[in-house]
């Protein structure tokens, strides 16, 4: 019985870890895209002037 509980707990912890890692990766990618978009906009606006 305790082995089944350990497996269930392990799966729950694994899922939570995946969600946390996914959120962090999403945040990093979002920031990278935002910075990239900002620099592209700056170059385009700079050329326009």
């Amino acid at each position: 019985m305790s082995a089944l509980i350990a497996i269930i707990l392990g799966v729950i912890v694994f899922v939570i870890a995946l969600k946390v890692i996914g959120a962090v990766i999403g945040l990093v990618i979002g920031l990278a895209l935002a910075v990239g978009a900002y620099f592209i906009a700056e170059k385009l606006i700079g050329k326009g002037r």
Side-chain angles (χ1 to χ4, degrees), residues 2-28:
S2 62
L4 186 66
I5 292 165
I7 290 166
I8 291 165
L9 280 175
V11 169
I12 290 166
V13 169
F14 182 70
V15 169
I16 291 167
L18 274 182
K19 283 185 184 242
V20 169
I21 291 164
V24 170
I25 290 169
L27 202 74
V28 169

Side-chain angles (χ1 to χ4, degrees), residues 13-49:
V13 169
F14 182 70
V15 169
I16 291 167
L18 274 182
K19 283 185 184 242
V20 169
I21 291 164
V24 170
I25 290 169
L27 202 74
V28 169
I29 290 169
L31 279 171
L33 285 175
V35 170
Y38 173 77
F39 278 114
I40 289 165
E42 278 284 309
K43 279 189 177 179
L44 289 174
I45 291 163
K47 282 181 183 173
R49 275 189 224 157

